[in-house]
Amino acid sequence: MTERQDEATDDPMMARIGQVIMLHHGGDREEARDRFLALWSEIGEHGDPLHRCTLAHFMADAQDDPGDELAWDLRALSAAEELTDDRLAAHHASLAVRAFYPSLHLNLAADYEKLGRHEAARSHLHRVRATIGALADDSYGDGIRAAADRMGERLGDPRPGE
């Protein structure tokens, strides 16, 4: 998922989620987790899929336990599956749902790798590779592609043709 903020519409919940993301990036994982949980309780399990996807995606990164990280990444993927391009365009005109999937599946592959579940990790790595064409040729896309290549090396599953 991207963190682009230019051309974004005014969405108070996304702004609040963004503030917690900055807190987490500033190093306060515990406070970030607490605030993410408070926002999650406001959004609810069936709230706006964009809010749920974004919050869960970043909440996963704030977890210390790999099982908890996996649970949040699965929530992010589930919410992305409910997200429409129309809803996403209402937030930010340059984003497309299909571009979320490489990052979401890469995170799940990493979670499963941490848990020693290598077949599940490889399965999600294959999903990354199947969706990676949705990414732009920019630093974000390059980073996801490079991370997928490193994951493939660790899992003994290089890109086809290598």
Side-chain angles (χ1 to χ4, degrees):
M1 291 183 49
T2 66
E3 295 181 47
R4 298 178 193 161
Q5 295 299 314
D6 58 327
E7 301 177 27
T9 60
D10 186 27
D11 181 332
M13 182 56 74
M14 289 300 287
R16 292 171 65 199
I17 293 169
Q19 290 170 344
V20 180
I21 292 167
M22 291 185 339
L23 178 69
H24 178 247
H25 287 174
D28 197 341
R29 290 169 63 90
E30 187 174 342
E31 181 66 21
R33 275 193 304 265
D34 290 346
R35 290 188 187 189
F36 277 138
L37 281 173
L39 291 175
W40 185 261
S41 67
E42 284 184 46
I43 296 167
E45 288 284 331
H46 302 288
D48 184 321
L50 176 60
H51 297 160
R52 288 186 291 122
C53 182
T54 305
L55 188 148
H57 178 71
F58 288 99
M59 175 62 142
D61 294 339
Q63 300 306 303
D64 295 325
D65 179 85
D68 293 338
E69 187 174 359
L70 172 63
W72 283 104
D73 280 329
L74 288 169
R75 286 180 184 105
L77 179 62
S78 177
E81 291 169 348
E82 296 175 35
L83 188 56
T84 65
D85 281 327
D86 287 342
R87 170 59 185 104
L88 191 54
H91 171 66
H92 195 295
S94 71
L95 297 178
V97 176
R98 69 185 180 283
F100 283 21
Y101 287 103
S103 175
L104 294 170
H105 284 294
L106 185 61
N107 286 346
L108 286 163
D111 296 341
Y112 284 119
E113 181 188 25
K114 289 176 197 173
L115 293 167
R117 296 175 58 188
H118 295 112
E119 276 306 310
R122 278 189 281 280
S123 175
H124 281 280
L125 177 60
H126 295 166
R127 292 177 185 161
V128 172
R129 291 174 176 156
T131 59
I132 210 157
L135 296 176
D137 289 327
D138 59 12
S139 62
Y140 176 77
D142 291 345
I144 296 293
R145 284 185 280 277
D149 287 346
R150 288 189 304 273
M151 173 75 60
E153 290 173 15
R154 287 194 308 274
L155 293 172
D157 190 353
R159 267 190 298 176
E162 289 187 354

